Amino acid sequence: MISLPWRQGAPLILVVDDERTIREMLRQEMEREGYRTLTATNGAEALELCQKNLPDMVLLDAVMPTLDGFRCCAEIRRWPGCEDLPVLMITSLDDEESVTEAFSVGATDYIIKPSKQIHWGVLRQRVRRLLQAYAAMRELHQRSAQERKLTQITAQVRRSLDLATILRTTVGEVQELLQVEQVAICEFPPLGEPRFTVESPSLGWPSILHAPLRVRVPQDHSGERHTLDWLVQVRDGDEVTGDSWYGELIQRLGMQAFLAVPVVLGERLWGLLTAHQYSTPRAWSPHEVNMLQQLTMQLASAIQQAQLYQQLEAANGELQRLAAFDGLTQVPNRRRFDEYLVQEWQRLAQEQGALSLILADIDFFKSYNDTYGHVAGDECLRRVAQTIHQVVSYTKGLVARYGGEEFGVILPETPLAPAMTVAEQIRLRVAQLRIPHQHSPVHGYVTLSLGVSSLLPNSEAAPAALVAAADQALYQAKQQGRNCVVPY
């Protein structure tokens, strides 16, 4: 019996003949050969059966009522997917014109039954040969389509730099490529147990997401050793025991067929790409396994590329953070202050919201440094900065080191009165630190002078107006004796 790789079960042959005796003889002979059969008495009935159950071959009489074999064959050939379907005409017509017409309408082969008798040996050989050729051609077409699909999947996988997107794309596309019920990826972290982290749509089958893989993963094998140890093909789940890691998984989830291909990064086993069939057993062809092995090599490269990109993004993010922060006080620096001020000014100019600014200066800080030294001065700056940050953390504001001992607080969507309240809280909290400042003319502890301004941003003004107003208010605070808050 011929095995057709793209179908389940024995080939299906449609026998079409209006003579009951011949029809039954053909059916019985085909079934003795191990084929499945359907029968029809005329061309019209044959077309109806073809539409409902696409056969792998048609044995067709030429002379029939209602719709003869010639017109029936021509109609079959017009259907999508039936261009190469084997149609073997078996007829008593032995004239050259009939033979020519048979081939002209698309018959694959032609057998004459002299005196209503059939040469069974010849028929069996013809059927076997045509099915073999059809199977080979269909497999070639299938492989060609799969190769094109594999090229598309590889391009999609390599195109992305986001690991989650890469993995989701892989399982979805492989499910379509293999026409399988479920595809998943199991990751093997350096620490912890392996787990399935991505799966294709389950289509009603059990989800394997986050299911543990109860196996110890050796880390000292070569890439080739990993491939040998972890390449698994199970065509019938009933034939495996729970002794192996995959047998336990198959039994736990009720799988009928299972395929696992390792994903190896360098010498490390990164994970597995797996395909599962729940409804029926399934044989995995060498071509399918080879395709997935090719794909996992490309997937490994894409994973490495995504990981490097993530590391680069993290490094760039850290560099940007460091570039925007003051190293001593660990609050944003003047550069970040300027960027944020422009950003919020432009936003609130459109939304017509208030923007407030607080400029705070440590009173007599030069005297503090001269008295206690620069190390103590640095510690003082740090404590003051963190205290201001704690107060402002309850708002949408940004705290930045504006100058040597001067700090700026930007308060978006905040009118003057609430901004004054924040400034007063800052002044009181810094005073409560009770940082000694024995040579301060204002107080025995470190204090702040603060100036507050508030504007409604618009396209006709610039953020510098807000800064100039706050700076003027700070100047007034110093003129009024320091350790106070003054609005503009």
Side-chain angles (χ1 to χ4, degrees):
M1 184 184 68
I2 305 303
S3 174
L4 301 182
W6 71 95
R7 296 193 190 277
Q8 297 291 332
L12 176 64
I13 296 179
L14 174 60
V15 178
V16 188
D17 199 303
D18 65 322
E19 293 189 32
R20 183 176 182 278
T21 302
I22 297 296
R23 188 172 63 252
E24 283 301 303
M25 290 173 61
L26 287 169
R27 181 187 64 78
Q28 292 173 9
E29 186 66 23
M30 293 300 99
E31 290 181 353
R32 273 195 294 269
E33 290 295 302
Y35 306 126
R36 296 176 296 140
T37 62
L38 290 172
T39 59
T41 60
N42 57 62
E45 187 179 344
L47 291 177
E48 185 178 347
L49 285 173
C50 276
Q51 287 181 321
K52 293 179 180 178
N53 307 277
L54 181 61
D56 301 301
M57 187 174 185
V58 179
L59 301 183
L60 182 62
D61 191 10
V63 181
M64 293 181 295
T66 309
L67 184 70
D68 64 36
F70 299 113
R71 287 187 294 160
C72 178
C73 182
E75 186 65 27
I76 289 174
R77 283 288 177 255
R78 283 194 283 269
W79 293 349
C82 293
E83 299 88 347
D84 302 313
L85 179 69
V87 178
L88 176 58
M89 279 201 173
I90 304 174
T91 180
S92 59
L93 298 175
D94 59 355
D95 58 285
E96 184 177 346
E97 183 179 347
S98 297
V99 174
T100 301
E101 184 178 3
F103 286 116
S104 68
V105 296
T108 313
D109 208 342
Y110 191 100
I111 289 181
I112 297 172
K113 47 181 181 181
S115 302
K116 303 296 183 179
Q117 296 297 317
I118 297 174
H119 296 298
W120 297 109
V122 173
L123 176 64
R124 287 192 295 269
Q125 191 274 337
R126 294 279 183 89
V127 168
R128 188 178 302 113
R129 178 178 59 80
L130 290 176
L131 283 173
Q132 286 175 336
Y134 186 48
M137 181 176 57
R138 292 292 297 187
E139 184 172 8
L140 181 62
H141 289 170
Q142 183 184 44
R143 287 193 179 191
S144 177
Q146 287 177 331
E147 290 291 347
R148 289 194 299 271
K149 183 66 176 176
L150 180 62
T151 301
Q152 293 172 2
I153 296 173
T154 299
Q156 282 185 276
V157 167
R158 296 301 297 269
R159 190 180 302 128
S160 178
L161 291 172
D162 178 67
L163 182 58
T165 301
I166 290 169
L167 300 183
R168 285 196 305 269
T169 298
T170 298
V171 296
E173 295 294 339
V174 170
Q175 182 181 32
E176 183 179 344
L177 175 70
L178 298 183
Q179 293 296 294
V180 70
E181 290 166 352
Q182 189 181 64
V183 174
I185 289 177
C186 180
E187 295 186 39
F188 290 21
L191 298 174
E193 64 181 359
R195 283 188 177 273
F196 287 89
T197 57
V198 186
E199 68 178 358
S200 62
S202 296
L203 303 176
W205 306 111
S207 172
I208 199 171
L209 205 60
H210 304 306
L213 202 62
R214 294 167 185 157
V215 62
R216 187 182 70 84
V217 183
Q219 299 297 327
D220 55 351
H221 282 176
S222 67
E224 183 178 355
R225 185 73 248 177
H226 285 314
T227 300
L228 293 173
D229 289 347
W230 294 91
L231 179 60
V232 176
Q233 304 175 57
V234 175
R235 61 177 296 168
D236 189 345
D238 294 335
E239 296 178 355
V240 300
T241 66
D243 298 336
S244 60
W245 65 266
Y246 55 88
E248 187 276 334
L249 182 69
I250 289 170
Q251 291 186 354
R252 175 156 43 100
L253 295 174
M255 296 178 186
Q256 288 296 310
F258 179 77
L259 173 63
V261 180
V263 181
V264 181
L265 272 62
E267 296 297 311
R268 184 177 83 83
L269 180 63
W270 180 89
L272 298 173
L273 175 62
T274 62
H276 326 133
Q277 194 80 1
Y278 290 90
S279 59
T280 59
R282 168 172 175 159
W284 309 99
S285 72
H287 178 64
E288 290 174 328
V289 175
N290 179 259
M291 282 197 304
L292 288 199
Q293 288 179 314
Q294 293 180 52
L295 179 59
T296 54
M297 287 190 289
Q298 297 298 324
L299 177 60
S301 297
I303 291 170
Q304 286 180 314
Q305 185 173 317
Q307 289 175 339
L308 289 173
Y309 180 74
Q310 288 176 345
Q311 293 169 5
L312 180 61
E313 286 286 282
N316 286 338
E318 180 62 15
L319 286 174
Q320 290 177 359
R321 190 191 72 82
L322 292 174
F325 271 72
D326 177 63
L328 175 63
T329 60
Q330 291 303 298
V331 296
N333 57 20
R334 176 63 179 272
R335 173 184 174 186
R336 178 56 184 152
F337 173 91
D338 292 338
E339 291 174 347
Y340 188 73
L341 181 61
V342 172
Q343 169 190 318
E344 291 303 303
W345 182 275
Q346 293 173 345
R347 181 177 71 85
L348 292 171
Q350 295 178 341
E351 298 178 7
Q352 299 182 341
L355 181 62
S356 293
L357 173 63
I358 302 171
L359 289 182
D361 190 76
I362 300 177
D363 294 327
F364 303 106
F365 187 69
K366 182 179 184 304
S367 173
Y368 185 93
N369 267 339
D370 292 342
T371 302
Y372 300 100
H374 288 283
V375 173
D378 289 348
E379 179 61 23
C380 175
L381 286 170
R382 278 192 288 267
R383 294 183 66 185
V384 170
Q386 292 306 311
T387 300
I388 298 174
H389 174 72
Q390 289 170 7
V391 174
V392 178
S393 65
Y394 297 101
T395 72
K396 298 179 180 179
L398 174 87
V399 180
R401 188 178 180 187
Y402 190 74
E405 66 274 12
E406 198 170 10
F407 297 91
V409 179
I410 301 171
L411 297 172
E413 302 171 18
T414 307
L416 181 61
M420 288 289 293
T421 300
V422 173
E424 182 62 21
Q425 289 176 345
I426 291 171
R427 188 190 70 80
L428 291 173
R429 289 285 297 276
V430 169
Q432 289 169 3
L433 292 176
R434 300 176 69 86
I435 301 172
H437 192 349
Q438 62 183 10
H439 290 149
S440 171
V442 178
H443 202 288
Y445 299 103
V446 168
T447 59
L448 292 181
S449 297
L450 303 100
V452 185
S453 63
S454 184
L455 291 174
L456 288 173
N458 59 76
S459 58
E460 297 178 359
L466 186 68
V467 176
D471 191 56
Q472 182 62 33
L474 177 60
Y475 176 78
Q476 292 296 326
K478 292 179 180 180
Q479 291 297 309
Q480 293 179 22
R482 304 184 188 246
N483 190 24
C484 62
V485 178
V486 173
Y488 179 77

